[in-house]
Amino acid sequence: MYRESQKFSSLLTLPAAFISLVFSVFVVIQVLLKIQIGNHPASNTLLISIWAITVGMTFGAYNMRLITMIDTQSINITMFPLLKKEISFADVKDMEVIAYGFVGYGIRYDISTGITYYNARGNMGLQLTLDDDSVIVIGTNDPDGLTAWLTSHGFMLSRQA
């Protein structure tokens, strides 16, 4: 079994951490110190709820990772904690390891090409063309290891990057 786990860039946590910090200050001022914030302050319940959501977003962004597991039957993609997807090799028409331009992190759909990207970092990935002609690219930080594993298990790649 081939397994690769890619942690998302720590830069993704900075906006969520900043927002969480701001709401932490608001909670301390309004809930603990009992000083209302603004002319029309939010209720303490709403403020604490928003704070809890931002803390959860920060935790989720910090722990987000792309896990790819490939065996001889299927490819399993897990974008923890958001998505789990299995693609059977019986549904794959063509595959190749490619280099692509930066598309962003996470799950991206390029409307101009119709390609869905699962990317955590970098610009290398396994491109799969499925029987329904949809195209999926799964990011990898180890294109040589992925290529070696696939070819050693009898999978034909259309070309190698």
Side-chain angles (χ1 to χ4, degrees):
M1 175 178 285
Y2 177 84
R3 184 178 195 283
E4 182 176 353
S5 178
Q6 302 174 55
K7 187 162 178 25
F8 279 72
S9 171
S10 297
L11 292 175
L12 293 175
T13 61
L14 291 178
F18 177 75
I19 293 168
S20 182
L21 179 63
V22 168
F23 277 98
S24 297
V25 170
F26 290 168
V27 166
V28 168
I29 291 171
Q30 184 165 309
V31 176
L32 298 179
L33 299 177
K34 301 193 185 316
I35 301 170
Q36 291 187 339
I37 299 172
N39 294 332
H40 303 287
S43 69
N44 289 350
T45 304
L46 178 62
L47 196 58
I48 291 170
S49 298
I50 293 172
W51 171 79
I53 290 169
T54 61
V55 168
M57 288 172 41
T58 303
F59 178 77
Y62 181 76
N63 289 301
M64 189 173 275
R65 60 186 74 248
L66 173 63
I67 302 167
T68 307
M69 292 189 295
I70 305 174
D71 59 29
T72 57
Q73 303 299 313
S74 63
I75 300 170
N76 290 286
I77 307 164
T78 303
M79 184 132 340
F80 180 81
L82 303 174
L83 166 93
K84 188 167 187 156
K85 181 177 183 85
E86 182 175 359
I87 302 167
S88 171
F89 278 116
D91 299 329
V92 176
K93 184 168 36 175
D94 187 40
M95 72 175 120
E96 62 182 301
V97 175
I98 64 165
Y100 52 89
F102 179 74
V103 295
Y105 301 127
I107 304 167
R108 298 283 186 256
Y109 179 74
D110 185 340
I111 198 163
S112 65
T113 61
I115 299 174
T116 302
Y117 294 90
Y118 299 91
N119 188 37
R121 57 180 55 214
N123 69 340
M124 298 293 293
L126 177 63
Q127 179 173 297
L128 305 171
T129 304
L130 304 180
D131 287 337
D132 63 1
D133 289 326
S134 61
V135 179
I136 295 172
V137 176
I138 307 163
T140 182
N141 283 335
D142 185 15
D144 295 332
L146 176 58
T147 300
W149 190 91
L150 288 168
T151 55
S152 72
H153 285 81
F155 294 103
M156 299 298 295
L157 301 174
S158 60
R159 68 179 168 214
Q160 298 177 11

